[in-house]
Amino acid sequence: MDRFKQIESFVSAVSRGSLSAAARSEGVAPAVIGRRIDALEARLGVKLLIRTTRKISLSREGTEFFEECQQILQSLENAENSVAAGGENPKGHLRVTAPAGFGRRHVAPLLPRLLDTYPGISVTLDLNDRLVDLVNEGYDCAIRIGDLADSSLVSVRLADNRRMVVASPAYLRRHGTPRHPSELARHNCLSFGASGSQTRGWLFTIDGKPTPQRVSGTLECTDGAVLHAWTLDGRGLAWRSLWEVEDDLKQGRLVTVLDDYAPPPNAIYAVYPQRKHLPPRVRVFIDMLRQSYAGRLP
């Protein structure tokens, strides 16, 4: 067992880029990971890692050993998953990441039901709007919204996602209603962060083609819930997803504008690392999402 833990800790530290990241993934102190790797190096009689205060790197022997260990651990996981897939009680710890707003509304409420159905599963849910590296950060699955970049990840389409420009009735009474995307230049547009929609622009269908429209305004934020609150408060126009504002539209707290120029819907996906055998805990989680979202999400 000690030999196996040493190899696991070595691979985890290299994959995640630091002893501290490997320690966080296992829930132990970085010193524990360091002692395991020291013991592994002592047993093999070679230096595997070159460690500084800022980073770790592989020696020549470490590079060769790392590749072999990765294959061994992957083969072991595939063998376990292949056997476990035939059972009816998925087990293990599931690590999931999702955009903060969507995850809060449409992922977190489902997880207690998953655990009630499969008591052998435990879950960590990371609500984060950054693009997480699933493989190097040790996640089983991510929920992502919008077009997916080409990658080695496997994607499962869960639902359509419609986006629209919304504003409060009070804002439109004070500033008027834009009739064409070009008129947004005269409006206060609430944007998602300096590197988000303000830089890329909001997307519209103009002359039959998806066309980005640059916008600007006096408020921007990297938290969608804050943008939502500002929009309700009449501070400006916002480009939001229907799953976020549907209730406000029904209650009249917000109204849509520029509907004639709405872009085609994008999608909500579950993505996971490419594997020969999908772990049962991930499979049942994705199945639950597909069943829950079918016909229910806006």
Side-chain angles (χ1 to χ4, degrees):
M1 180 59 73
D2 288 343
R3 294 174 64 184
F4 184 73
K5 291 302 293 184
Q6 291 166 8
I7 291 173
E8 274 194 323
S9 296
F10 167 67
V11 171
S12 179
V14 175
S15 298
R16 291 173 169 80
S18 70
L19 301 188
S20 57
R24 284 194 299 272
S25 72
E26 292 194 38
V28 300
V32 173
I33 303 296
R35 285 196 294 270
R36 291 174 184 169
I37 295 175
D38 289 341
L40 178 62
E41 291 177 329
R43 182 164 56 81
L44 297 176
V46 296
K47 195 70 174 174
L48 300 173
L49 291 181
I50 302 168
R51 288 177 255 179
T52 68
T53 56
R54 290 175 175 257
K55 65 177 182 177
I56 61 174
S57 58
L58 286 165
S59 67
R60 182 177 60 81
E61 294 84 358
T63 299
E64 295 174 358
F65 189 63
F66 174 69
E67 292 174 356
E68 293 287 343
C69 289
Q70 271 192 315
Q71 293 176 13
I72 291 169
L73 293 178
Q74 186 64 63
S75 296
L76 177 60
E77 182 179 12
N78 289 342
E80 290 179 341
N81 291 336
S82 180
V83 172
E88 297 181 355
N89 296 306
K91 297 179 181 179
H93 189 67
L94 177 69
R95 296 193 71 213
V96 179
T97 179
F102 184 84
R104 196 178 299 116
R105 288 169 179 257
H106 293 295
V107 180
L110 301 177
L111 293 178
R113 176 157 59 88
L114 178 71
L115 270 58
D116 289 343
T117 306
Y118 304 103
I121 295 178
S122 60
V123 180
T124 294
L125 175 62
D126 179 9
L127 299 181
N128 199 316
D129 287 320
R130 71 182 177 88
L131 193 63
V132 171
D133 185 334
L134 269 66
V135 175
N136 289 329
E137 296 184 49
Y139 286 92
D140 292 299
C141 183
I143 309 303
R144 291 186 176 165
I145 301 175
D147 297 329
L148 299 177
D150 290 337
S151 75
S152 61
L153 300 177
V154 181
S155 64
V156 177
R157 189 182 182 102
L158 300 173
D160 285 340
N161 179 55
R162 293 170 54 199
R163 303 206 74 182
M164 60 204 62
V165 180
V166 296
S168 71
Y171 175 87
L172 296 178
R173 284 195 297 270
R174 291 195 305 270
H175 301 281
T177 300
R179 305 297 179 187
H180 187 275
S182 61
E183 296 179 20
L184 293 175
R186 300 197 295 269
H187 284 268
N188 198 45
C189 296
L190 309 175
S191 298
F192 187 80
S195 62
S197 55
Q198 189 159 350
T199 300
R200 296 191 301 269
W202 296 355
L203 191 64
F204 298 94
T205 300
I206 300 176
D207 296 328
K209 299 185 299 183
T211 305
Q213 180 73 40
R214 294 288 297 273
V215 298
S216 62
T218 57
L219 290 168
E220 64 179 62
C221 185
T222 57
D223 188 316
V226 173
L227 292 178
H228 187 190
W230 285 341
T231 311
L232 290 170
D233 195 38
R235 297 295 175 176
L237 298 161
W239 195 47
R240 310 308 301 155
S241 293
L242 183 55
W243 59 259
E244 181 182 12
V245 299
E246 183 190 30
D247 289 343
D248 299 308
L249 296 175
K250 288 179 178 178
Q251 299 299 322
R253 294 185 292 265
L254 295 176
V255 296
T256 61
V257 299
L258 301 174
D259 293 344
D260 290 342
Y261 301 93
N266 53 24
I268 299 164
Y269 296 92
V271 300
Y272 56 89
Q274 183 79 256
R275 288 171 176 160
K276 186 175 181 180
H277 299 287
L278 183 65
R281 65 183 182 275
V282 181
R283 175 176 50 79
V284 296
F285 172 64
I286 293 176
D287 286 346
M288 182 197 67
L289 293 180
R290 296 175 72 176
Q291 293 167 9
S292 299
Y293 295 169
R296 187 178 68 84
L297 275 181

